[in-house]
Amino acid sequence: MKAAKLGSENVIWDLSALYASLDDPRIARDMKAVRRDAAALAAEYRGRVAAGKIPPAELRKFMVEEERISSATGRLGEYAELMLTTDNLDEGAKSLMMKMQELGSDISNTLVFFPIELGQIDEALFARLVADKALDNYRHYLLFLRKQREHLLSEKEEMLLSKRDLTGKLAIQRIYQELTSSFKFTVTVNGERKVMNGEQVRSLRESTDSRLRARAMKQYFGKYAENTLVITNVFDTLLKDHQIECELRHVDEPMGMRNLDNELDAEIVNTLSDVTRDNTDIVERYYTLKARLLNSKKLTLADIYAPISAKPHTYTWNDSRTIVLDAYAKFDQRAHDIIQQFFDKNWIDGRTLPNKTGGAFCTFNLPGAHPWVMLNFTGASRDVETMAHELGHGMHGILSAKQTAVNRDAILPLAEVASVFGEMLVTDYLLGRMKDPEEKIALYCSKLESAFATTFRQNMFHRFETRTHGLIADHQLSTDELRSIYHEELVNMFGDSVTIPAHYDMEWGIVQHMFLWPFYVYAYNFAQLVVLSLYQKYLEEGGEKFKPVYYRILETGSAMTPAEILGLAGIDPRDKAFWQKGFDFMRTHWVEPLEKLVSERK
């Protein structure tokens, strides 16, 4: 089915709730206003905080105004980002994005005195301050800032770092994004030469033609290999920048800053990684089985997403929407009604465009504004899960909107919970409708591959990232060294179950998270395994008992630590056995039923 017949080409988000256009005069007016208001707030409170001359009611007043300013700044930045998303080469959007980065840096520098001075308050005075009822909605955030005090620099140093990032880290990241977004690929499909972007080429991994899959992926990674001079230097520079910042902030390990932000300690993250590594036999077990299903002696990495059916189902936009809405409705009408709004109110952009950012995301960090969802809908079965995933994020954003701005964003380790839970709902909904064993086999395969991408694959990225960050202090990493490390991690994940073509060693270059958000990726693995535990509780307890706890987790945002939030559901993330339960779920709910169906085939 041609993309023009999918219906997604007409799914265009309405950003008018932010601004009317890139030329909207309110943009310049609002930029001027937030600079003015931030300067006034700093003038009123600088020096008073450190001196302890700010009673609880005054501190609350500061927090309310700071949230308002940050939200206004965020609104400007979000508009720039969303406009740039649909066309990464649009000069107007690029210009606005640069202005917004400068604005963000300026506002951050103007208000950076606050966390620094908060850390200087006498311990007893601080304890009395945050205990006051006036600060109930801000207590967790203030305690969080207080814990950061030993890693903060002086005000002038913080301002210098922020300004330097505009021509340093942020500029280097922009080079990577613009370069990779500009990549075009000419691929022959069914005798027709087509010019594709990266997202479209990657979708060919689900082609029924094994030669096309192999050819497309060789060309895809080949483009990155052709540009290793830039990509490797960008990556090394970002690694070095991160190392220097860790040293300046007295953070002992590269992952430390992310763990501080996530309010997790390294023990939990390392346990998660180790348990995942210890269960890679599931991956080998599955891909050995899939080779049999595809009548192949052994798969290559180009085949790991190959469809089981000779005629894989292509979904229209309306097909996908109906499935997702029905799946959420089966769970709870409240969930369905939240998701319905995204379709009815044009909060989604589903188009596939030449210069559109690849992948999918949901953004919801603005108090008083609804989330937006970005998809690249191509009609593949995986796109149905992706729709459910991103709309799960959207539901999370709607539910956490009850929090104040500083507590609204879901804390990163739990940010993927609602999204992955949404995928689970769709999987069980589809399994419940299917009568044909072959359809069920295909769905089990798709689900396992999706879960592997969220757990084992992200852990592979995490291990690669950890190793490379650990080496940069000693020397610059060459392309060959990066490829070698990545190859070792591919082998660690897949074992001998698939053949690994040499060009896949460049796959590290496509993982935007490692370039833009260091050590973000373990959050996916964390959330997937948490969801498997939550979903097991849902199946065991039933919806009426489970749903209030689940909604409370989503409504909490980041008003508690991850361990405290999980404690609401009786989960202890320090328990190695807890993480193991997730992999046991994969075995008993997906791998074993799949093996049974395959053994019963005539």
Side-chain angles (χ1 to χ4, degrees):
M1 183 179 291
K2 294 182 179 179
K5 295 182 180 179
L6 292 173
S8 54
E9 71 279 2
N10 297 317
V11 181
I12 304 170
W13 51 26
D14 178 8
L15 303 182
S16 61
L18 296 173
Y19 294 98
S21 69
L22 291 169
D23 300 321
D24 191 331
R26 292 179 299 165
I27 294 176
R29 183 195 68 194
D30 290 351
M31 290 175 64
K32 182 178 180 180
V34 295
R35 282 196 168 97
R36 179 195 65 224
D37 294 346
L41 188 65
E44 183 177 358
Y45 286 94
R46 181 181 280 112
R48 293 176 59 196
V49 179
K53 298 178 180 179
I54 181 168
E58 274 288 291
L59 182 53
R60 176 183 171 80
K61 179 183 174 183
F62 172 89
M63 292 301 303
V64 170
E65 178 64 4
E66 193 274 337
E67 282 185 310
R68 187 190 67 77
I69 293 168
S70 295
S71 296
T73 307
R75 183 179 297 273
L76 287 156
E78 186 149 293
Y79 182 71
E81 179 183 1
L82 294 178
M83 290 297 291
L84 191 60
T85 289
T86 53
D87 188 351
N88 275 287
L89 301 183
D90 181 271
E91 292 300 328
K94 287 162 63 175
S95 175
L96 181 61
M97 189 64 186
M98 290 184 67
K99 290 179 182 178
M100 292 309 108
Q101 288 177 341
E102 292 173 6
L103 177 67
S105 176
D106 289 346
I107 300 304
S108 175
N109 280 343
T110 301
L111 301 178
V112 73
F113 76 90
F114 178 70
I116 294 172
E117 291 194 22
L118 191 72
Q120 296 169 355
I121 298 176
D122 173 78
E123 194 69 45
L125 177 59
F126 177 79
R128 291 195 300 273
L129 192 65
V130 296
D132 195 281
K133 286 186 65 64
L135 294 168
D136 282 352
N137 287 335
Y138 299 100
R139 184 170 299 111
H140 177 75
Y141 179 68
L142 293 170
L143 289 169
F144 168 76
L145 290 182
R146 180 76 170 181
K147 291 176 184 176
Q148 307 285 323
R149 64 188 185 277
E150 62 186 276
H151 305 292
L152 292 174
L153 308 178
S154 70
E155 185 174 345
K156 287 186 177 180
E157 289 170 327
E158 291 288 354
M159 293 173 68
L160 179 61
L161 277 183
S162 180
K163 281 290 187 183
R164 182 70 177 179
D165 280 347
L166 293 173
T167 55
K169 177 172 62 178
L170 293 175
I172 294 295
Q173 289 172 333
R174 190 164 60 247
I175 289 170
Y176 169 78
Q177 289 179 293
E178 290 188 21
L179 173 67
T180 55
S181 294
S182 73
F183 288 169
K184 295 293 181 289
F185 309 85
T186 303
V187 185
T188 301
V189 182
N190 297 325
E192 181 183 354
R193 287 170 60 85
K194 297 183 177 182
V195 177
M196 297 183 168
N197 62 20
E199 192 69 24
Q200 292 167 320
V201 173
R202 283 163 60 84
S203 72
L204 294 177
R205 294 176 300 173
E206 299 182 49
S207 167
T208 57
D209 184 342
S210 61
R211 288 176 296 181
L212 174 59
R213 294 195 298 266
R215 191 168 66 247
M217 296 317 295
K218 185 174 183 178
Q219 185 176 355
Y220 179 64
F221 291 119
K223 179 68 73 172
Y224 283 80
E226 290 170 10
N227 289 273
T228 52
L229 177 64
V230 176
I231 293 173
T232 298
N233 274 285
V234 163
F235 191 62
D236 275 357
T237 300
L238 292 172
L239 292 181
K240 194 66 179 178
D241 179 89
H242 187 83
Q243 179 220 335
I244 291 170
E245 185 169 357
C246 284
E247 291 175 352
L248 290 173
R249 297 191 181 283
H250 306 291
V251 176
D252 294 336
E253 56 180 353
M255 190 169 53
M257 288 198 295
R258 177 66 68 188
N259 290 345
L260 285 166
D261 286 343
N262 289 346
E263 298 188 77
L264 290 174
D265 57 49
E267 176 192 352
I268 293 175
V269 181
N270 291 334
T271 298
L272 166 66
S273 180
D274 291 344
V275 173
T276 305
R277 175 67 185 87
D278 291 343
N279 282 274
T280 53
D281 64 287
I282 302 176
V283 178
E284 298 181 51
R285 180 176 170 182
Y286 168 71
Y287 282 113
T288 301
L289 177 64
K290 185 168 184 177
R292 285 172 47 201
L293 287 169
L294 293 176
N295 297 313
S296 173
K297 290 184 179 180
K298 192 175 185 179
L299 302 180
T300 76
L301 278 179
D303 302 319
I304 61 175
Y305 299 116
I308 299 302
S309 171
K311 293 183 179 179
H313 188 80
T314 298
Y315 294 86
T316 66
W317 179 265
N318 286 338
D319 292 336
S320 185
R321 178 180 62 188
T322 298
I323 290 168
V324 169
L325 285 171
D326 286 352
Y328 274 98
K330 186 178 179 182
F331 171 67
D332 189 50
Q333 188 62 37
R334 181 186 180 190
H336 166 276
D337 293 346
I338 291 172
I339 299 301
Q340 180 76 56
Q341 296 179 82
F342 286 79
F343 296 101
D344 293 345
K345 298 181 179 180
N346 299 324
W347 296 349
I348 311 175
D349 196 295
R351 301 169 292 171
T352 299
L353 302 170
N355 299 320
K356 187 176 180 180
T357 298
F361 66 78
C362 174
T363 177
F364 59 85
N365 60 355
L366 296 177
H370 59 76
W372 280 270
V373 166
M374 190 281 283
L375 302 171
N376 280 278
F377 189 82
T378 62
S381 61
R382 203 171 304 277
D383 288 347
V384 182
E385 272 200 354
T386 300
M387 180 184 287
H389 179 104
E390 298 305 336
L391 288 169
H393 280 307
M395 185 175 81
H396 201 163
I398 295 291
L399 291 171
S400 66
K402 65 185 294 183
Q403 299 290 341
T404 57
V406 295
N407 294 329
R408 183 183 180 186
D409 283 359
I411 199 161
L412 186 56
L414 301 180
E416 300 294 329
V417 165
S419 54
V420 177
F421 197 88
E423 293 181 34
M424 299 284 285
L425 293 173
V426 165
T427 298
D428 273 5
Y429 172 77
L430 290 173
L431 284 171
R433 296 175 62 195
M434 290 177 177
K435 305 299 181 185
D436 183 353
E438 293 301 312
E439 280 192 298
K440 288 189 175 183
I441 287 173
L443 183 56
Y444 275 123
C445 289
S446 176
K447 185 63 219 175
L448 279 164
E449 290 161 16
S450 175
F452 290 171
T454 313
T455 53
F456 297 107
R457 181 173 167 82
Q458 300 302 325
N459 197 54
M460 177 177 67
F461 296 158
H462 173 70
R463 288 169 58 89
F464 171 83
E465 197 172 15
T466 301
R467 291 176 65 181
T468 53
H469 275 271
L471 291 170
I472 197 65
D474 180 60
H475 62 279
Q476 293 290 104
L477 282 74
S478 67
T479 300
D480 287 345
E481 186 174 7
L482 290 166
R483 293 183 69 146
S484 177
I485 294 169
Y486 193 77
H487 181 86
E488 289 174 12
E489 294 305 330
L490 282 170
V491 172
N492 285 337
M493 174 175 169
F494 291 97
D496 193 43
S497 64
V498 300
T499 298
I500 303 173
H503 49 269
Y504 268 84
D505 296 349
M506 265 307 297
E507 190 176 35
W508 60 270
I510 75 167
V511 187
Q512 288 200 19
H513 288 81
M514 295 195 297
F515 287 78
L516 307 181
W517 307 288
F519 297 100
Y520 183 109
V521 292
Y522 75 68
Y524 289 105
N525 190 17
F526 192 107
Q528 174 73 74
L529 296 173
V530 166
V531 166
L532 292 179
S533 177
L534 288 174
Y535 205 77
Q536 183 66 40
K537 288 178 72 69
Y538 167 53
L539 296 177
E540 292 171 352
E541 297 176 354
E544 295 313 306
K545 183 177 180 181
F546 173 80
K547 284 184 287 188
V549 175
Y550 180 64
Y551 282 131
R552 188 179 175 198
I553 288 172
L554 302 188
E555 289 170 348
T556 301
S558 56
M560 299 164 66
T561 68
E564 289 169 338
I565 294 173
L566 291 177
L568 299 173
I571 293 172
D572 180 6
R574 296 183 181 279
D575 184 1
K576 186 174 181 179
F578 159 69
W579 300 113
Q580 183 59 46
K581 287 179 182 178
F583 296 110
D584 294 342
F585 184 101
M586 286 188 199
R587 287 186 175 88
T588 58
H589 285 74
W590 297 331
V591 177
E592 291 173 7
L594 173 62
E595 290 175 333
K596 185 174 185 295
L597 284 169
V598 172
S599 69
E600 293 171 350
R601 287 175 105 188
K602 295 181 181 178

